[in-house]
Amino acid sequence: MVKNTPSSATQKRKPRLLWANPFCLLDTSSGASMTVRQMLLQLVAQGYEIQVLGATVFDNPKGMGKLKEQYPDLSAHHHQLIEAEDGPLTHKLVVSYSHNRNHFTTHEEGLWYSQYLYMLDSFKPDIVWFYGGQTLDMLIADEARDRGIPVAFYLANGNYKSPRWCRDVDLILTDSQATADMYRKAIGFVAKPVGKFIAPESFIAEHHERKRLLFVNPSWQKGVSVFVQLAEILERERPDIELEVVEARADWQAVLRETTRNMGQQRSSLSNVTITANTSDMRAPYSRARVLVAPSLWWESSGRVLAEAMLNGIPALITNRGGMPEMVDNAGIAFDFPDACYEEPYQHLLSDEELQPLVESVIRLFDDEAFYQEYVARAWQVGEEKHHIDRATERLLAALSPLAQLRVGNKEFAITQKKHHRQRLTSRAIKPEFKVDNSLQHLFNHQSVHQPGQAPQVNKLWLVDDFTWQIKGKIVVLDNRASLIKSGLADQMITTGAFGIVAFDPASEIKDAKKYEGSDTVQLFQHALLGDGKATTLHACVAPEMTSTLAPLPAEKLPKRHHLGTQALAELPISTIALDSISGLDSLDWLILDELSDSMAILEHGKKSLVDTLLIQASVPFQLTHEKQPSLAELQHWASRNGFRFYRMHNIQHYSHLPENLNAVSPCATEQESADVLFLPSHERMAELNDKDKTRLAFIMSTCFGAHDIAFELMADVSQEKALEFLEGQKLLPKASAPKSQLPLPAGPPIPQVEHVKGEPVVSVICSTYNHVNYIEDAIKGIIAQKTDFPFELIIHDDASTDGTQEIIRNYAEEYPELIRPIFQEINQYSQNKKPMDICLPLTKGKYVAICEGDDYWTDPSKLKVQFKYMENNPKCVITHHNAFVFNENGLVRDSKLPEHMIKSFSKNELLKNNCFVLTLSMMFRKVFDKFPKEKGTVVNGDNFLISMLGLYGESVFIKDIKPAAYRLHADSTWSSKNENQKRKILSNSFYWIGKYHERKSRKELSDYYFKESRNFLQENGN
């Protein structure tokens, strides 16, 4: 018998490793991507054969520079497999529409997965290596293990707390011992630390000026709130110390504005801070750095910048978190901040006392040269011993070697698969065919950039992230030939939540009409259109886009290009709908008319419906194809007689007389075929528009037509401040610094109805209001901006307001029908001795109740989420609460409404006896009862009654991490407007009836206490 033995060539072949993950390793905004890429380069140098499979997914578009050098226009390669050269590495990348992992479509996942299977079976790796915990990532390990291929995983953060992701993983590599220890204690698996991989050619400077305090990646998690506070102190106290910020995935300007706004004075720049754009070559920033500050607030597995700093001999100031102390050893100073700093959203502000040790350390490292040089020497030593790439490579090779030595790539995968498969089946993946899916293309317009003077595209919404529109109710659009759907604009409009579209499709040109069935945003009616309300004939033509109720012109009157398309196939009966006869159309904001309908008949039979319309868009043909097509003169004559004026042409279409293939090479289209004519309200009507309609028209003109100038003019009539914000958002004006007196704004931005969690509410918010027309909108904004992972409801009780408050509530209730439940009283109930809480509490559906009066507001978008989470985990707690600042029409009155000794939690007994100070606008309480006792009906101030009753069921907890709410002082306030004598009388009355309640319930000690306190209040009042 002759035994088959492996050839010497097989024995000596290079170990093969496949890196697989949708994230692109060329991403310079991701520390994990840069680290893995460098690890792979080291493995290649050590004799490994490497293949890389990824996609065009990046942490941030700022990190796309390396790939864009080779592929400037990725949009030309959508859903194709491209290859990016990277020295000895070649990155195979599936080109996705979006760089955002959350927008990676199922079609794109399918393409990537098919290519992964093909590479498993064709490359036959000895090891598969990946990171990530999403569904597709789980399949990476599953498919490798199914073939008997060992799997390695790279772990460099503290977020993998579920053990499912590592079920099929043989080796877990991490970057620090601290992370390995944390996971071993928390989950139980073992990870091997290999350290950081820093390429000296891109990260180690040749010369060092040592003059700046350096901060890298200004994100909330990385401690930018701490850095901004530090920078402002240094600007004031030590302007000679230069600071430098290197952007990565975060936007310095945005976090600076937010942090300084929270500090009380919004700023757009700091005079001592220099900004450096994201870069893959950090040698220049490190050459200027004297000290690195890295006050990271989340679990930092190690901190790549710390290893880079050590290799450059730069001391570091860090937080005592995760693997950071391990990275710097004795070459840095670690600080412990209050626990609130380490919790999302990582925006807690430190007091001057808490920040002082950090400030002093910075100053000493700049002023005490001997002290500084000692730390420099330590940094050089730590860098050489811990972070040199040769040391890290040795650890990596030692970890991978046991897997590589198995040489599973030599085996036949089919045998292993048959053993694992219950049906004893196996298959070999073939090279996948990459097909382009255009179904979502119109939703991704980030590749297009509008240049000044260039006509905006008709299939793109002109929205920007830096400005938030506040639209009340739906903007109703009537589209006579479904042009919005055909252009792709309708689907984008749906995502805004601002539009309601009614579209007619007389020639049934929309092929996927079923997708709009049941939609509450788009109603599509096929084989129907507007007209005079009478039956007519639909002339079906060879070209569906030529099908019309207007008869095609005879061939001799048409250019040759239309001869075939206008030939009639059939004449079909069809009924037209008169605009004025449509029932259920409460308003019509925007009418779109096509050039193949009798537009004049539509307008003449729609005069009533069009009285308050904001925009008429009518297509006008200049090269006629059908009889009775509308002319510009006819349309303008009708418009001038009915309250409209000509504004401009839009979507001008030309025809080229060049052959199609030649025109594609050198476009030249000179014959104008058609254009849309836009009619706006006449100047008289425009002047009479209310603020709501001016805002809605501005929104239409800016977002749908790119007409930012008229949008600005309209908004300026509503609010000069908002109009300037709009120009700043459009980058037409530089962002201005906020005034010193600016107060924290209501939580924002508002979350659209469709994005709020649906279902039975678990939290009920009660907002009572009376004649708060100038305040109620702030209260509502702070509530609808709450970011929750549970459903909640807002009950707004209006006690017969007479000043316009109810109109504001109605507008928001229309916009948020599933969130807001308004109650409008016709007779003031307070005057009838019926309090809002008595009316609203029995109507609440939630397990918990929160309160915000109509003249106050919340500033923290996570308020409800934080309170809900705490109460769910702590059943003994019956109330959670927080602080508020006090303000009036002139600005801030004081930072805290609570006295210092009352910023605390309260025991059950303290609540029972009202020996506490719980702010009503801050509280969330457990709904342990749903109606009040009869005694409460006689008190003026029901808050004390509520707190005493809740004290029967548990204790309170003060949550310091919630941003202070806003407590407003004004002359009409039911409590703050009272003088001290009046307040004592009210409290005496309240305590007396609380005592009567406890007396009726046989709680003698409590009743005696309240009767005594009631008398004390009266005595203090001199009665």
Side-chain angles (χ1 to χ4, degrees):
M1 180 182 292
V2 179
K3 293 184 179 179
N4 289 324
T5 57
S7 68
S8 60
T10 302
Q11 287 280 26
K12 294 179 181 179
R13 74 162 173 82
K14 295 179 179 180
R16 294 191 291 258
L17 183 146
L18 171 61
W19 171 267
N21 185 264
F23 279 92
C24 181
L25 292 185
L26 296 172
D27 185 358
T28 59
S29 70
S30 166
S33 293
M34 289 190 290
T35 296
V36 170
R37 174 176 168 269
Q38 193 55 234
M39 293 164 91
L40 295 179
L41 289 170
Q42 291 304 305
L43 290 175
V44 170
Q46 295 299 320
Y48 272 71
E49 186 178 350
I50 305 289
Q51 288 201 10
V52 178
L53 175 63
T56 54
V57 173
F58 293 77
D59 273 5
N60 190 284
K62 295 177 182 178
M64 299 175 73
K66 276 183 172 290
L67 182 60
K68 287 295 186 72
E69 289 174 5
Q70 297 184 48
Y71 292 92
D73 184 12
L74 286 172
S75 63
H77 304 278
H78 280 158
H79 296 166
Q80 299 302 307
L81 188 70
I82 62 173
E83 294 187 355
E85 299 302 323
D86 181 24
L89 294 177
T90 298
H91 301 255
K92 290 183 170 65
L93 303 171
V94 175
V95 181
S96 54
Y97 277 137
S98 172
H99 75 271
N100 190 314
R101 180 65 176 88
N102 294 326
H103 299 162
F104 206 57
T105 68
T106 53
H107 177 73
E108 291 162 352
E109 287 189 336
L111 293 177
W112 190 93
Y113 180 60
S114 298
Q115 180 64 24
Y116 171 61
L117 296 182
Y118 174 68
M119 292 178 72
L120 285 179
D121 291 337
S122 59
F123 180 50
K124 302 198 68 168
D126 300 310
I127 304 171
V128 168
W129 194 14
F130 78 109
Y131 58 38
Q134 298 193 34
T135 305
L136 181 62
D137 305 323
M138 298 299 94
L139 292 174
I140 296 171
D142 291 350
E143 290 292 350
R145 291 287 291 174
D146 188 50
R147 291 160 172 78
I149 305 171
V151 179
F153 187 93
Y154 183 63
L155 176 63
N157 64 52
N159 297 330
Y160 287 79
K161 299 301 176 61
S162 169
R164 165 61 184 90
W165 64 267
C166 62
R167 185 184 69 187
D168 297 307
V169 172
D170 298 279
L171 172 65
I172 301 171
L173 300 172
T174 188
D175 53 356
S176 70
Q177 187 64 53
T179 298
D181 292 343
M182 184 272 288
Y183 277 113
R184 180 175 51 79
K185 294 174 183 177
I187 310 298
F189 59 73
V190 176
K192 291 188 177 182
V194 293
K196 289 295 185 185
F197 284 72
I198 312 299
E201 65 273 12
S202 297
F203 293 94
I204 301 179
E206 294 182 7
H207 307 286
H208 294 274
E209 300 176 56
R210 302 192 181 280
K211 64 178 183 179
R212 287 180 175 174
L213 181 67
L214 178 66
F215 182 79
V216 180
N217 192 2
S219 62
W220 300 117
Q221 299 96 322
K222 297 290 185 180
V224 71
S225 60
V226 176
F227 179 76
V228 170
Q229 296 171 77
L230 171 65
E232 217 180 39
I233 290 176
L234 293 174
E235 181 190 45
R236 184 170 61 251
E237 298 181 2
R238 288 295 302 270
D240 59 305
I241 296 178
E242 299 178 39
L243 287 72
E244 181 173 357
V245 172
V246 179
E247 292 188 312
R249 68 190 72 174
D251 183 342
W252 164 254
Q253 294 291 339
V255 295
L256 173 63
R257 287 193 300 270
E258 177 72 10
T259 304
T260 52
R261 184 173 68 83
N262 293 339
M263 293 167 66
Q265 179 183 347
Q266 182 170 304
R267 300 182 63 179
S268 58
S269 64
L270 294 173
S271 61
N272 57 341
V273 176
T274 299
I275 310 303
T276 300
N278 174 254
T279 176
S280 59
D281 189 343
M282 283 290 293
R283 288 175 295 178
Y286 285 133
S287 73
R288 297 184 289 265
R290 183 178 180 88
V291 180
L292 174 77
V293 59
S296 192
L297 302 179
W298 67 340
W299 174 271
E300 191 77 68
S301 181
S302 61
R304 178 184 175 87
V305 294
L306 298 178
E308 294 169 358
M310 297 299 102
L311 289 166
N312 280 280
I314 301 171
L317 302 174
I318 63 171
T319 43
N320 195 15
R321 299 278 290 171
M324 298 182 71
E326 176 186 335
M327 287 292 106
V328 302
D329 203 347
N330 64 348
I333 303 173
F335 299 89
D336 289 305
F337 294 137
D339 291 344
C341 289
Y342 304 118
E343 299 176 6
E344 293 184 9
Y346 306 112
Q347 297 180 27
H348 180 77
L349 298 180
L350 296 168
S351 67
D352 290 344
E353 292 76 16
E354 292 165 338
L355 199 59
Q356 191 59 31
L358 178 59
V359 175
E360 291 174 352
S361 296
V362 170
I363 293 174
R364 186 175 183 190
L365 285 168
F366 272 80
D367 290 354
D368 188 334
E369 191 62 27
F371 178 74
Y372 174 70
Q373 289 301 331
E374 180 182 348
Y375 272 87
V376 170
R378 294 177 186 177
W380 284 122
Q381 183 177 1
V382 171
E384 177 63 27
E385 294 178 356
K386 280 194 170 186
H387 305 308
H388 193 285
I389 197 165
D390 291 346
R391 308 290 89 73
T393 302
E394 290 168 4
R395 293 188 287 264
L396 177 63
L397 289 170
L400 290 176
S401 181
L403 303 185
Q405 288 175 358
L406 297 175
R407 290 292 196 269
V408 298
N410 295 341
K411 299 177 181 179
E412 179 53 56
F413 292 159
I415 297 173
T416 307
Q417 287 178 306
K418 287 179 179 179
K419 288 180 180 179
H420 291 167
H421 200 291
R422 290 188 178 277
Q423 308 303 323
R424 302 294 185 263
L425 300 177
T426 186
S427 64
R428 183 175 178 83
I430 61 173
K431 189 171 184 179
E433 181 182 352
F434 280 78
K435 296 181 178 179
V436 179
D437 172 23
N438 289 321
S439 61
L440 292 178
Q441 190 170 11
H442 55 271
L443 295 183
F444 296 96
N445 287 300
H446 53 275
Q447 304 286 355
S448 302
V449 180
H450 177 56
Q451 301 295 335
Q454 173 187 332
Q457 300 175 30
V458 296
N459 62 340
K460 179 183 186 297
L461 282 187
W462 296 93
L463 288 168
V464 293
D465 294 333
D466 293 340
F467 180 76
T468 302
W469 291 91
Q470 296 172 337
I471 305 300
K472 307 296 189 297
K474 295 281 189 185
I475 294 173
V476 179
V477 188
L478 204 56
D479 187 352
N480 195 46
R481 190 116 178 181
S483 62
L484 296 177
I485 295 176
K486 289 187 286 188
S487 69
L489 197 60
D491 286 339
Q492 295 176 66
M493 294 165 71
I494 290 171
T495 64
T496 69
F499 293 95
I501 301 171
V502 179
F504 296 100
D505 182 20
S508 299
E509 295 176 77
I510 308 301
K511 303 305 179 187
D512 55 346
K514 286 189 176 181
K515 69 180 286 188
Y516 301 108
E517 290 181 2
S519 170
D520 57 0
T521 304
V522 176
Q523 297 182 63
L524 177 63
F525 299 96
Q526 294 194 297
H527 201 65
L529 78 165
L530 295 172
D532 58 7
K534 299 176 182 178
T536 187
T537 299
L538 184 69
H539 302 274
C541 296
V542 171
E545 65 273 14
M546 288 294 183
T547 296
S548 171
T549 53
L550 307 178
L553 292 173
E556 60 269 17
K557 292 186 178 182
L558 292 170
K560 289 183 179 180
R561 62 183 181 272
H562 292 314
H563 282 186
L564 178 60
T566 56
Q567 285 185 14
L569 294 176
E571 293 186 352
L572 307 172
I574 189 172
S575 297
T576 65
I577 303 165
L579 191 52
D580 282 339
S581 70
I582 298 177
S583 59
L585 192 65
D586 297 330
S587 65
L588 174 56
D589 300 298
W590 177 7
L591 174 65
I592 303 175
L593 300 176
D594 64 295
E595 76 277 17
L596 295 178
S597 299
D598 190 345
S599 295
M600 296 312 301
I602 296 171
L603 294 171
E604 286 298 326
H605 290 82
K607 289 182 178 180
K608 295 178 182 178
S609 300
L610 295 170
V611 167
D612 296 317
T613 296
L614 302 174
L615 171 65
I616 296 176
Q617 177 181 350
S619 184
V620 177
F622 299 114
Q623 310 298 329
L624 301 181
T625 57
H626 292 66
E627 297 177 356
K628 295 183 65 178
Q629 283 183 297
S631 70
L632 177 58
E634 290 175 307
L635 289 169
Q636 189 154 358
H637 182 60
W638 183 93
S640 64
R641 290 184 292 110
N642 290 276
F644 292 89
R645 66 179 177 88
F646 172 80
Y647 172 63
R648 79 166 197 210
M649 299 283 192
H650 178 72
N651 192 23
I652 300 173
Q653 300 294 317
H654 292 85
Y655 172 75
S656 175
H657 294 272
L658 292 174
E660 186 175 344
N661 58 346
L662 182 58
N663 189 60
V665 176
S666 180
C668 179
T670 58
E671 183 170 349
Q672 189 167 321
E673 288 197 309
S674 65
D676 291 348
V677 183
L678 304 184
F679 294 104
L680 297 183
S682 64
H683 294 294
E684 295 83 359
R685 274 189 60 210
M686 194 77 88
E688 295 174 357
L689 291 180
N690 57 37
D691 289 351
K692 173 183 173 182
D693 283 340
K694 286 180 180 177
T695 302
R696 289 154 74 89
L697 181 54
F699 177 74
I700 296 170
M701 299 309 296
S702 175
T703 60
C704 298
F705 298 95
H708 307 311
D709 55 342
I710 194 168
F712 164 73
E713 183 178 276
L714 286 161
M715 295 184 67
D717 287 343
V718 177
S719 166
Q720 287 284 343
E721 181 180 356
K722 197 70 176 174
L724 291 175
E725 286 181 24
F726 169 74
L727 292 181
E728 292 171 357
Q730 294 292 342
K731 306 293 190 295
L732 297 172
L733 273 183
K735 288 187 178 293
S737 299
K740 292 184 178 180
S741 61
Q742 181 171 342
L743 296 167
L745 299 173
I751 298 174
Q753 172 72 78
V754 295
E755 294 181 22
H756 278 287
V757 179
K758 294 179 173 58
E760 189 71 9
V762 294
V763 173
S764 298
V765 181
I766 296 175
C767 179
S768 58
T769 184
Y770 173 69
N771 282 354
H772 288 157
V773 67
N774 295 322
Y775 316 132
I776 186 63
E777 195 161 12
D778 283 345
I780 295 174
K781 285 179 183 177
I783 298 169
I784 63 176
Q786 290 297 303
K787 299 176 181 177
T788 68
D789 50 13
F790 53 84
F792 71 97
E793 64 173 353
L794 168 57
I795 299 174
I796 306 180
H797 178 273
D798 181 87
D799 207 4
S801 292
T802 58
D803 64 347
T805 300
Q806 291 193 1
E807 182 180 354
I808 296 173
I809 297 171
R810 282 193 177 92
N811 289 337
Y812 274 99
E814 290 174 7
E815 189 174 356
Y816 292 85
E818 298 174 29
L819 181 68
I820 298 176
R821 283 202 285 157
I823 301 172
F824 299 111
Q825 300 291 356
E826 295 182 0
I827 299 174
N828 185 272
Q829 300 298 297
Y830 193 89
S831 63
Q832 308 294 314
N833 211 29
K834 296 179 181 178
K835 309 302 187 298
M837 275 295 291
D838 302 7
I839 297 169
C840 295
L841 186 62
L843 301 177
T844 57
K845 299 177 181 178
K847 180 180 178 182
Y848 304 99
V849 178
I851 301 171
C852 182
E853 302 290 343
D855 52 354
D856 301 325
Y857 63 84
W858 298 339
T859 66
D860 193 333
S862 299
K863 167 191 159 66
L864 292 183
K865 185 176 182 179
V866 171
Q867 290 182 287
F868 172 82
K869 181 178 179 181
Y870 186 90
M871 298 189 76
E872 282 288 274
N873 294 329
N874 297 273
K876 291 183 179 179
C877 172
V878 73
I879 312 175
T880 54
H881 48 107
H882 54 89
N883 209 342
F885 63 86
V886 183
F887 73 106
N888 59 21
E889 61 183 359
N890 297 318
L892 186 69
V893 175
R894 58 182 183 272
D895 292 324
S896 173
K897 180 167 172 58
L898 295 172
E900 188 67 28
H901 68 284
M902 284 295 181
I903 303 177
K904 53 174 280 192
S905 303
F906 298 102
S907 67
K908 182 175 181 178
N909 190 55
E910 287 173 319
L911 294 176
L912 278 168
K913 293 184 176 181
N914 267 279
N915 287 334
C916 58
F917 198 169
V918 178
L919 301 178
T920 307
L921 80 162
S922 78
M923 69 166 60
M924 178 187 285
F925 63 87
R926 204 176 295 275
K927 197 173 77 171
V928 287
F929 52 85
D930 58 11
K931 63 179 181 179
F932 290 99
K934 59 184 180 181
E935 289 86 354
K936 183 179 179 298
T938 60
V939 304
V940 175
N941 184 0
D943 298 345
N944 299 105
F945 213 120
L946 171 63
I947 289 170
S948 184
M949 288 184 67
L950 289 172
L952 297 167
Y953 300 94
E955 60 195 19
S956 89
V957 172
F958 181 89
I959 301 180
K960 60 183 179 180
D961 297 332
I962 298 175
K963 294 179 185 177
Y967 183 89
R968 190 188 307 265
L969 298 177
H970 59 95
D972 298 322
S973 169
T974 57
W975 178 254
S976 61
S977 61
K978 302 291 190 293
N979 61 41
E980 289 304 311
N981 285 340
Q982 290 172 322
K983 289 179 179 178
R984 280 193 286 270
K985 284 184 179 180
I986 291 171
L987 286 171
S988 174
N989 175 71
S990 297
F991 275 41
Y992 174 81
W993 285 105
I994 295 173
K996 295 295 288 182
Y997 163 67
H998 287 301
E999 182 182 60
R1000 180 166 63 84
K1001 293 294 184 178
S1002 302
R1003 303 183 189 106
K1004 188 174 187 306
E1005 180 183 350
L1006 275 175
S1007 61
D1008 288 346
Y1009 167 81
Y1010 275 104
F1011 290 144
K1012 179 182 177 181
E1013 289 299 307
S1014 175
R1015 290 192 296 271
N1016 289 341
F1017 280 121
L1018 283 177
Q1019 290 168 2
E1020 291 173 9
N1021 203 38
N1023 294 322

